[in-house]
């Protein structure tokens, strides 16, 4: 269940950040994903705590993506490994 107080604190922090951001800076939301080669899931539900598997032929792709909600710029990189250095 979501923590309403933590959500409110984040919204206040984020609003303050955006309202006081220097003109040469931006806020991006980013994450790393690791899709398997040739996986084709379209939708589904998984029971909380379960670990459903998707069959694959081989390998893994590492992708870092980001989204700027003001400009909708969505840069991404495909590093060979995912670690603290590659995610900055």
């Amino acid at each position: 269940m979501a923590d309403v107080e933590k959500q409110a604190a984040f919204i206040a922090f984020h609003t303050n950040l955006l309202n006081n951001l220097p003109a040469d800076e931006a806020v991006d939301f980013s994450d790393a994903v690791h899709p398997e080669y040739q996986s084709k899931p379209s939708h589904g539900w998984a029971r909380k705590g379960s670990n459903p598997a998707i069959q694959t032929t081989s390998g893994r792709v590492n992708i870092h993506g980001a989204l700027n909600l003001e400009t909708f710029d969505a840069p991404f990189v495909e590093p060979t490994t995912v670690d603290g250095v590659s995610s900055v």
Side-chain angles (χ1 to χ4, degrees):
M1 178 177 245
D3 185 321
V4 175
E5 290 179 11
K6 287 182 180 180
Q7 286 180 332
F10 174 79
I11 291 169
F13 169 81
H14 187 253
T15 300
N16 182 56
L17 177 68
L18 292 180
N19 289 336
N20 295 295
L21 199 63
D24 62 342
E25 293 185 9
V27 174
D28 288 344
F29 292 91
S30 63
D31 200 356
V33 296
H34 319 288
E36 298 286 340
Y37 287 108
Q38 299 181 0
S39 58
K40 296 180 182 173
S42 62
H43 63 280
W45 291 91
R47 188 172 297 277
K48 184 177 180 178
S50 69
N51 188 15
I54 300 171
Q55 291 184 348
T56 182
T57 55
S58 68
R60 181 173 103 164
V61 178
N62 298 310
I63 300 172
H64 291 297
L67 176 63
N68 181 314
L69 293 176
E70 186 174 350
T71 64
F72 292 102
D73 183 32
F76 72 92
V77 295
E78 187 176 338
T80 56
T81 61
V82 175
D83 55 24
V85 174
S86 70
S87 63
V88 174

